[in-house]
Amino acid sequence: MYKSVFLRNRPFASRLYHSSGQLKSLAKGNVKTKSVLEVARALQPGTKLHGYTVEKVEDVPELFLTTVSLNHDRTGAKHLHVAREDNNNVFSVAFRTTPMDSTGVPHILEHTVLCGSKKFPVRDPFFKMLNRSLATFMNALTASDWTMYPFSTQNRQDYNNLLSIYLDAVFYPQLRELDFSQEGWRLEHENLQDDNSPINFKGVVYNEMKGVFSNQQNIFAEAVQNKLLPNHTYGVVSGGDPEYIPDLTWEHLKNFHKTHYHPSNARFFTYGNFPLEDHLQYINENYLSQFSKIEADTAVPAEPRWTSPKEASVTCQPDTMAPDPDKQTTVAVNFLLSDITDIEEGTTLNIISNLLTDGETSPFYQALLEANIGSDYSPVIGYNGYTKESSFSVGLQGIHKDDVDKVKQIISETIDKVIEEGFEQSRIDALLHRIELGTKHQTSNFGLGLVMSVASMWNHDGDASEMLRVNNQMELFKKKLQNDPKYLQKKVKEYFKDNSHRLTLVMSPEEEFEEKRRAKEQEKLQNCIQNLSAQDKTKIFQLGQELQETQNRTEDLTCLPCIKLSEIDKEIKLEPTEQTEFDGIPVQYSAQPTNEVTYIKMVSFLDQVPMEMKVYVPLFTNVITKMGAGIYDFKELSHQAELYTGGLSAGTLVSQDPTDPLDFDQGVVFSSYCLERNFDKTLDLWTEIFDRSNLRDSNRLQTLIKMSAADLAASLSNAGHNYAMMHSASSLTPASQLSEMFDGVSQVSVMKRIAELEDNSKIMEHLIELGHEILNKNNLKLCINATPDFMPTALEKVEQFIETLHSDRKPEHHFVKRHTTHVTKFVATSQKTQIELPFSVNYMSKSIKTVPYTHVDFASLRILSRLLSWKFLHREIREKGGAYGGGANCTNGVMSFFSYRDPNSMETLEVFDRSIQWAANGDFTDTDVEEAKITVFQQTDKPVPPGQIGSTLFLNNISDGMRQEARNQLFSVTKENVIEAAQRYLLPDNRPSSLSFLGPENADVAGNKEWKVIKG
Ligand SMILES: [Zn+2]
C-alpha cells in the first residue's frame, strides 16, 4: 500500500509513452536566461562534474526532454538525468537484487533499510517523513531483480530533505535485529506478558506475502515466472514465500545489504527542472566519495534454452465467488522471447504482442474469448519485459478442466493463422496511433512513469536513454515493415511457432488447499519451536517485550527535516472553467495546454432511473461501449476507437453533495480523449453509441458478463479494505448506500449470479431499458478540455453533436438542469457484518457518519483522520498487529477506519476504538497536528494534468471557492478543534456507526447474534 508495493508481473508490460504537463505554459512564460533543456544540451561527453563523467547527451523532442547519462568515476555508479520543464521532480536509486532463494531477502531488506539510519537513527524515518513532506510520491518497491527507492515532489526544500533521508537509508541503514524481526519474521508469544502462551509467526513481510498468495492471480503469475525461467534468480520468489521466510537470518540480511546496496551496483535517476549539478554534488560529497568500486556479482545469465516445450501445473484455493464452481481452471502458454536490452527487437515483440492479444479485433481475443469457454484471459497475458529475457503469455481462466487441450489447440491454430495471413495494416496503424497519442496525453506523474518504464532494461545494463527515444524506435520499426512486408509474420514464426522454450502452465483449484497450507505452516512452526533451547525461549519472550517497548516509546524526531506550514501556498491552484449550454444541455469548458489533445467527459444522470433497475447500471457501463453501434459491429467499433481515440470508457458516478448530507449526484460518466484532428470522428463514435447502440448480441453480452464477473471476483483480495469500508459506510448515508450497490461486495455477488444464468435475455432487456434513460440527451451534461487555439472549433463541434443526438423531449417537457438527488427519508443505522471469504487474512473496517465537505468541522475531521492513521493506527495495526497496513479515511460525510491484510480481527476493532479514545483525550501534540496538516496538503496539492482541470467541479460540484475556503480552514485548525471533532463525531456511542469485514470463518462472529455473516 503506502510503503513497499511488492511489484509483481503486471499483465501488460506497457512501456510508458505518457507525457505530462505544464510544458507549453511553462516554456512560454519562462523568462529565465536558459531553459533546463538548454543547460543539459550544453554538456559535452567527457565533461567531469563532481566526481562523474558525462557519457552521453540526447534530445527527445517528442517528449520535450533531454537526457544526460553519467558514470561515477570512483565507484562506477550509473546516473541518468532527464531534464524537462516539469516541476514535479523525481529522484530514484535502484539496486540490482538477484536473490537465489525464496526467503524474501530483498523484500525484507527493502522494508528494513527504511527503519532508521546513521544520520536519522529514529524508528522508521521513512514513514515519519510521510508527515513531514509534500511528496507527490514516496515509496520503495521490490521487483524480481531490482529494488527501487523513488520519490517525487514539486518543492525544492522538500526534495533536498527527502534526498538526504533516502540516501542515508540505503547506504547507512541501522539494520537492527529488532527491525528485522518486526519487518521480516519472528516467533512471538500470543500474549506478550505470558511466556506460557502459544508462540506464533509474526512479521510485516511474512503477513504481506501470505496476503499476496491468497490471490489466485498472484499464485499463477509467480508460477509462470518461476517455471519459465527456473535456472537463476527468476526461479525463486523475490518477495518471499511464507514457507521459506522463516529460514532467513539477520546475518544473511546484513550480508545481502553489503553485497547489493553498493554504489557499484546502483543506478541513480533524476528528473525535472532542478539543476543536475546540485544533485551530483550532494550525492558524491555525502555518499559516493566514501566508497570504492567492488565487483557486484549480481548479473543474471541467459536462461539455458529448452530443446522441447514443457508442461507444469499448480493448485490454488477454490474461489467461492467464481461464477461457475466447475469452471475454475486456468491455462496459459508462455514463450521466452529476447533479451530486453535489445531495444529494437523488444519494440517489435511488444508491438506483435499487442497486435496478438489487445482489443476485440486481435486474433487471440477472437479465437479465445469469443469461444466463450473461459471467463477471461489468463492473469498473465501479452508481453512481459520485467525479466532479463522478455516473455509472452496467452491463455484463459475460468475454463472447465477438460477444456485445457482445447485452449492449447486454439492457441497453436491461431499462431499458424497469423503466420499465414499476417496482421491487417489498419490494425498496425491503430497501434501506431495509440503510441503517438500516448506521447501527447499528459498524466500527473510523468517522471515517475519514465523511471518505471526504463527500470528493468537499465537494470541489465541496457541503454536507458535510447529507450526513451520513442519516435526513433517507431521509425526503425516502420522501415523494417516497408523493407519486408512479411517481417511480422516471420517474427511470429520465429518466436511463437519455432520456439521450443515454451511452458504450458495449468492452475486448478484444490479443496484442501488452505487446509494444507495451514498444516504446513503449523509443521514449520512446530519444527522451529522444538529446536528452541530454554535460552532461545527466554530471548523470544524478551524480544517480544522489547519490540513492544520500542514501539511505544516516544521518540525525539528533531533530527528529521520537515517542510514548514509557512512554506506551503495559502492559495489553491485555480482551475479556471467556463460554462455555456447548447440546446439546454450544460457544457463546461476549460482551455489548457493539452499538447493538441482534446478531452471530453459526459455525465448522464440516473435520478430518473427506477430503483430496482440501478443494480444493473455497473454492468451497463461495462458493456455499452463494447457491444457495437449503428454500422459498426463490436469489433469494428473497438477498432475505430483505437484508430481515432485513446479509448471510449464508461463508469458509474456517485458523488456526495458538498453541502447537504442528503443530497448526491448519481450518474454514468462517459469519457474519451483524442488528437485534435480526430475530434470529429470521436464525436461520431459517441453519436453511434448514444443513438444506435446494439445491446441485442447475446453471445457478445455473455462474453462481457463473464469477464466482468471474473474481474470483480479477483479484485476482492487486492482491494479488500475498500470493499470493507464501502460496506460499513453503506448504512450511513444515501450516497454510500448507492456506492455499495454499484461498486461494493454486493455488486460482486450480483455479477456472480448474473454470470451463472443460462439465459441472459432478461438481463439484456434490463440493459436496453436502462439505455432509454442513460443514452438520452435530456439527462446529459458535458465537459471539454482543449488547447486555447482549438477550443472554438471544439465547442462548435460539440454543439453539432448535441443537436444531432436523439431526444425524446416532449414540447411540454421542462428541462431539468439540476439532477441532484434529494433523499427525504433516510435513517442511518448501525450494523455489524462479516463477509466470509476463503482468505488467510482479514480486512477490517468501521465507519462513522460525520459531516459534508463545506461543514465547518470537516477540516478538523480530515486532519484527525491523518493524525489517527500516522500517530496511532499505523503503530498498533501494522507494527504491533503485524497487518500490512491500517488507517482512517475521511470522505465527504463519513469517516472510515480500516486494516489491510490483517492477521487479527476483533483485536483490530478494539484498536479502532482505542484510537478514538486517544484522540478525544488529546494525547497528541501541536506538532502532530501540523504534520497531519502537511499530509492533507500532500493530497490536495497533487499536480492535476491539463486534461483533468475542472473535473472536481464537474463531477463533485466542488468549486474553486469551496476549495479555497476548505484550504483556509485547514490552515486554521488547532489541536483543540481536533479534540472537539473527535469528541463530537467519533466518541459518542449514539452516533450511527457500522462494522464490516472480509475474512475467513471467524469464531468470534459465528453464533454471535449482533453479527450478520454473509457467505461469500
Ligand atoms: Zn512489502
Side-chain angles (χ1 to χ4, degrees):
M1 239 164 22
Y2 5 87
K3 188 164 146 184
S4 318
V5 174
F6 173 61
L7 253 199
R8 292 314 318 155
N9 318 27
R10 280 175 294 184
F12 258 110
S14 53
R15 297 185 174 199
L16 301 179
Y17 295 121
H18 302 305
S19 69
S20 113
Q22 298 124 343
L23 317 162
K24 285 195 177 165
S25 57
L26 275 179
K28 267 184 196 163
N30 207 335
V31 285
K32 272 189 292 182
T33 41
K34 262 186 174 178
S35 77
V36 297
L37 296 194
E38 283 164 340
V39 173
R41 280 176 201 143
L43 291 169
Q44 296 295 324
T47 309
K48 299 279 181 193
L49 276 178
H50 303 287
Y52 293 81
T53 305
V54 175
E55 304 228 297
K56 196 160 77 159
V57 179
E58 270 181 315
D59 253 337
V60 187
E62 63 268 33
L63 297 177
F64 307 91
L65 58 84
T66 300
T67 60
V68 184
S69 312
L70 308 105
N71 230 322
H72 188 252
D73 301 332
R74 196 180 151 84
T75 60
K78 298 179 177 67
H79 192 119
L80 176 67
H81 177 69
V82 176
R84 196 162 182 265
E85 291 292 357
D86 183 350
N87 67 355
N88 195 13
N89 284 261
V90 178
F91 169 84
S92 149
V93 56
F95 303 97
R96 187 155 65 198
T97 46
T98 47
M100 294 305 288
D101 60 48
S102 294
T103 58
V105 56
H107 185 193
I108 293 171
L109 183 58
E110 173 234 298
H111 279 240
T112 318
V113 302
L114 301 172
C115 290
S117 65
K118 193 160 101 185
K119 254 196 234 166
F120 308 105
V122 295
R123 202 164 44 80
D124 214 347
F126 181 83
F127 247 99
K128 296 192 168 98
M129 283 310 288
L130 289 170
N131 309 317
R132 305 163 83 87
S133 155
L134 288 173
T136 50
F137 184 84
M138 264 182 91
N139 216 326
L141 311 113
T142 308
S144 305
D145 52 12
W146 50 253
T147 310
M148 186 196 282
Y149 297 82
F151 70 79
S152 61
T153 177
Q154 306 171 86
N155 181 299
R156 186 69 189 273
Q157 183 56 49
D158 197 29
Y159 191 93
N160 294 340
N161 292 351
L162 291 171
L163 187 61
S164 63
I165 298 281
Y166 267 58
L167 289 175
D168 213 55
V170 298
F171 290 118
Y172 297 116
Q174 291 184 310
L175 298 185
R176 296 171 309 174
E177 189 172 15
L178 270 186
D179 303 326
F180 166 67
S181 57
Q182 174 183 295
E183 296 297 320
W185 75 277
R186 65 184 180 275
L187 290 169
E188 190 174 277
H189 288 278
E190 223 160 70
N191 179 351
L192 287 176
Q193 313 312 326
D194 176 5
D195 57 3
N196 280 319
S197 63
I199 294 176
N200 281 321
F201 285 131
K202 277 210 168 185
V204 174
V205 170
Y206 184 78
N207 281 312
E208 180 187 346
M209 294 313 295
K210 270 169 79 170
V212 165
F213 289 115
S214 304
N215 180 307
Q216 299 185 350
Q217 308 208 338
N218 293 335
I219 294 177
F220 191 79
E222 189 65 52
V224 166
Q225 182 175 308
N226 295 163
K227 291 173 192 296
L228 186 67
L229 293 144
N231 227 39
H232 195 263
T233 191
Y234 304 121
V236 302
V237 184
S238 67
D241 181 340
E243 201 184 329
Y244 299 103
I245 289 176
D247 296 338
L248 182 66
T249 63
W250 180 40
E251 283 307 317
H252 186 66
L253 182 91
K254 287 189 288 188
N255 193 41
F256 195 87
H257 176 263
K258 210 176 285 160
T259 48
H260 291 76
Y261 281 39
H262 188 282
S264 305
N265 191 41
R267 285 160 188 82
F268 294 81
F269 174 89
T270 47
Y271 163 89
N273 63 358
F274 297 159
L276 167 64
E277 288 210 32
D278 292 2
H279 301 325
L280 297 179
Q281 186 177 6
Y282 184 87
I283 298 170
N284 178 53
E285 280 177 10
N286 293 282
Y287 294 93
L288 299 199
S289 59
Q290 294 153 22
F291 290 84
S292 358
K293 198 175 274 182
I294 62 162
E295 280 313 317
D297 181 23
T298 55
V300 180
E303 185 72 24
R305 293 286 169 147
W306 302 344
T307 48
S308 58
K310 293 189 180 178
E311 310 221 333
S313 62
V314 288
T315 58
C316 63
Q317 61 278 56
D319 183 356
T320 52
M321 295 302 268
D324 185 343
D326 291 333
K327 291 177 136 191
Q328 286 202 42
T329 298
T330 301
V331 57
V333 181
N334 310 277
F335 304 81
L336 192 62
L337 305 178
S338 68
D339 193 307
I340 56 171
T341 59
D342 183 344
I343 298 175
E344 267 186 67
E345 197 73 350
T347 301
T348 301
L349 288 167
N350 204 347
I351 288 176
I352 289 177
S353 302
N354 272 285
L355 289 169
L356 283 172
T357 57
D358 219 14
E360 280 82 343
T361 50
S362 67
F364 277 123
Y365 190 101
Q366 301 190 40
L368 285 171
L369 292 174
E370 282 177 38
N372 267 340
I373 51 175
S375 59
D376 201 347
Y377 273 141
S378 48
V380 187
I381 179 78
Y383 184 80
N384 175 4
Y386 289 103
T387 43
K388 180 160 191 287
E389 289 162 280
S390 60
S391 58
F392 173 85
S393 304
V394 64
L396 281 178
Q397 56 179 301
I399 64 165
H400 196 280
K401 63 180 189 318
D402 299 336
D403 282 342
V404 168
D405 285 334
K406 198 164 167 186
V407 174
K408 282 162 63 181
Q409 195 189 341
I410 294 176
I411 291 172
S412 97
E413 284 169 6
T414 308
I415 290 170
D416 286 342
K417 196 167 162 230
V418 171
I419 294 171
E420 183 66 32
E421 297 171 5
F423 300 104
E424 278 171 52
Q425 184 57 42
S426 75
R427 292 200 57 238
I428 299 173
D429 293 343
L431 187 57
L432 296 178
H433 160 261
R434 227 168 61 190
I435 293 168
E436 180 191 355
L437 181 58
T439 59
K440 295 192 164 160
H441 169 59
Q442 303 169 50
T443 55
S444 62
N445 210 330
F446 178 64
L448 188 69
L450 281 189
V451 66
M452 298 305 294
S453 71
V454 301
S456 289
M457 207 234 8
W458 194 24
N459 187 48
H460 298 290
D461 299 329
D463 186 342
S465 68
E466 182 58 37
M467 189 157 173
L468 298 178
R469 297 175 64 210
V470 185
N471 284 1
N472 186 43
Q473 290 162 41
M474 289 308 125
E475 287 316 312
L476 285 170
F477 174 75
K478 284 181 203 162
K479 226 173 259 162
K480 280 181 187 154
L481 268 191
Q482 265 165 15
N483 294 342
D484 180 3
K486 296 222 158 180
Y487 175 61
L488 295 181
Q489 281 147 280
K490 285 178 186 163
K491 287 289 167 194
V492 173
K493 183 164 185 302
E494 175 187 348
Y495 283 102
F496 300 99
K497 174 96 178 162
D498 301 340
N499 183 355
S500 52
H501 199 114
R502 182 192 321 163
L503 168 79
T504 304
L505 182 71
V506 178
M507 179 170 76
S508 33
E510 183 185 15
E511 243 2 278
E512 308 78 34
F513 183 87
E514 186 55 25
E515 227 169 276
K516 281 189 185 165
R517 191 199 58 74
R518 250 183 239 149
K520 242 192 226 166
E521 183 182 322
Q522 273 311 311
E523 196 189 316
K524 184 106 191 169
L525 181 65
Q526 291 318 320
N527 271 338
C528 281
I529 294 174
Q530 268 164 23
N531 293 331
L532 294 175
S533 64
Q535 210 181 352
D536 293 338
K537 282 190 180 157
T538 319
K539 199 181 162 199
I540 288 169
F541 185 64
Q542 282 167 348
L543 188 82
Q545 293 192 322
E546 202 182 329
L547 199 56
Q548 193 181 34
E549 255 165 53
T550 29
Q551 285 164 344
N552 286 333
R553 199 179 303 147
T554 322
E555 289 183 296
D556 178 10
L557 299 179
T558 44
C559 67
L560 292 178
C562 185
I563 275 290
K564 302 224 162 26
L565 276 175
S566 58
E567 291 169 52
I568 297 175
D569 271 343
K570 294 281 177 297
E571 311 290 321
I572 57 159
K573 284 213 178 69
L574 292 173
E575 298 192 16
T577 55
E578 290 177 82
Q579 313 290 334
T580 183
E581 58 173 65
F582 297 130
D583 197 15
I585 310 295
V587 176
Q588 172 186 310
Y589 60 100
S590 182
Q592 294 292 331
T594 58
N595 273 340
E596 293 156 12
V597 179
T598 301
Y599 296 79
I600 181 168
K601 269 198 194 80
M602 300 175 270
V603 168
S604 174
F605 291 98
L606 295 168
D607 48 320
Q608 306 298 321
V609 173
M611 199 57 203
E612 66 278 10
M613 293 296 294
K614 283 195 183 146
V615 71
Y616 303 109
V617 170
L619 177 60
F620 180 87
T621 64
N622 274 332
V623 307
I624 188 60
T625 61
K626 303 188 187 100
M627 291 290 291
I631 52 170
Y632 306 120
D633 64 11
F634 73 86
K635 283 178 214 168
E636 192 51 33
L637 183 63
S638 138
H639 182 54
Q640 293 286 318
E642 285 185 359
L643 270 174
Y644 300 109
T645 77
L648 305 170
S649 58
T652 55
L653 170 76
V654 180
S655 173
Q656 172 68 55
D657 186 87
T659 53
D660 187 332
L662 292 177
D663 280 1
F664 63 98
D665 278 1
Q666 44 176 323
V668 169
V669 188
F670 300 93
S671 59
S672 61
Y673 59 90
C674 61
L675 297 168
E676 284 170 358
R677 63 170 193 259
N678 295 329
F679 192 50
D680 268 331
K681 199 68 207 180
T682 302
L683 292 176
D684 285 349
L685 293 175
W686 282 121
T687 308
E688 294 297 321
I689 289 170
F690 269 74
D691 283 358
R692 287 174 285 280
S693 68
N694 170 21
L695 288 160
R696 293 208 177 270
D697 180 346
S698 167
N699 198 44
R700 173 65 178 162
L701 184 60
Q702 198 54 26
T703 308
L704 293 173
I705 286 175
K706 280 190 186 159
M707 284 169 78
S708 308
D711 273 359
L712 282 179
S715 70
L716 278 175
S717 72
N718 276 333
H721 61 311
N722 286 332
Y723 281 105
M725 283 190 279
M726 235 182 289
H727 193 273
S728 58
S730 66
S731 67
L732 303 178
T733 68
S736 309
Q737 191 177 36
L738 190 63
S739 292
E740 162 64 28
M741 182 197 273
F742 282 175
D743 301 315
V745 70
S746 56
Q747 178 65 219
V748 183
S749 318
V750 167
M751 277 308 301
K752 176 182 185 244
R753 279 203 305 277
I754 293 178
E756 283 163 358
L757 295 174
E758 287 288 319
D759 171 11
N760 62 29
S761 56
K762 273 228 177 69
I763 301 297
M764 191 190 289
E765 291 311 319
H766 291 324
L767 295 178
I768 291 168
E769 201 186 324
L770 269 178
H772 293 315
E773 280 299 333
I774 297 172
L775 305 173
N776 179 342
K777 86 170 176 190
N778 297 350
N779 296 330
L780 276 188
K781 69 170 181 177
L782 275 81
C783 155
I784 309 290
N785 286 22
T787 58
D789 289 348
F790 189 67
M791 188 56 88
T793 320
L795 289 175
E796 240 169 67
K797 290 175 195 292
V798 166
E799 185 170 10
Q800 287 162 14
F801 164 68
I802 290 175
E803 264 168 29
T804 53
L805 274 190
H806 149 90
S807 154
D808 63 358
R809 200 181 301 161
K810 298 173 189 76
E812 71 278 13
H813 182 104
H814 283 283
F815 188 74
V816 203
K817 270 201 190 147
R818 185 139 168 83
H819 287 271
T820 292
T821 309
H822 180 76
V823 179
T824 43
K825 282 177 289 182
F826 184 88
V827 184
T829 55
S830 301
Q831 297 175 351
K832 295 182 179 180
T833 316
Q834 182 198 7
I835 294 107
E836 193 187 305
L837 289 162
F839 295 163
S840 55
V841 286
N842 295 293
Y843 301 84
M844 310 301 298
S845 129
K846 173 187 178 109
S847 293
I848 304 173
K849 186 168 186 276
T850 58
V851 292
Y853 184 86
T854 53
H855 191 282
V856 62
D857 288 335
F858 188 70
S860 304
L861 286 163
R862 249 167 135 176
I863 292 166
L864 176 57
S865 74
R866 304 291 80 205
L867 195 66
L868 288 165
S869 300
W870 300 123
K871 299 294 170 181
F872 196 96
L873 297 168
H874 172 70
R875 181 183 67 220
E876 298 296 320
I877 295 176
R878 179 170 162 126
E879 292 180 355
K880 292 193 197 165
Y884 189 49
N889 254 2
C890 172
T891 58
N892 188 353
V894 176
M895 174 89 85
S896 293
F897 296 77
F898 68 92
S899 72
Y900 187 73
R901 292 185 188 157
D902 189 348
N904 301 313
S905 55
M906 296 304 126
E907 300 82 349
T908 299
L909 297 179
E910 281 165 29
V911 171
F912 294 159
D913 290 341
R914 275 197 283 128
S915 76
I916 293 172
Q917 196 63 56
W918 167 85
N921 291 347
D923 291 340
F924 50 86
T925 64
D926 290 320
T927 316
D928 292 339
V929 175
E930 272 212 13
E931 289 181 8
K933 281 186 192 180
I934 290 170
T935 63
V936 176
F937 287 122
Q938 228 176 59
Q939 294 306 313
T940 58
D941 293 359
K942 286 230 155 96
V944 180
Q948 295 302 325
I949 294 280
S951 290
T952 314
L953 177 63
F954 185 68
L955 298 176
N956 305 112
N957 298 311
I958 295 176
S959 66
D960 278 357
M962 289 176 191
R963 286 198 300 124
Q964 184 62 55
E965 184 54 34
R967 194 172 186 87
N968 298 345
Q969 284 171 357
L970 283 170
F971 273 108
S972 67
V973 166
T974 62
K975 182 182 168 189
E976 286 313 309
N977 297 143
V978 176
I979 298 172
E980 275 167 32
Q983 290 173 344
R984 186 171 310 148
Y985 298 102
L986 305 189
L987 194 57
D989 273 344
N990 56 357
R991 275 193 83 83
S993 74
S994 284
L995 305 172
S996 300
F997 73 100
L998 276 59
E1001 199 177 338
N1002 191 304
D1004 289 314
V1005 163
N1008 182 336
K1009 283 204 184 73
E1010 284 184 16
W1011 284 85
K1012 183 177 165 193
V1013 178
I1014 300 172
K1015 305 253 179 197

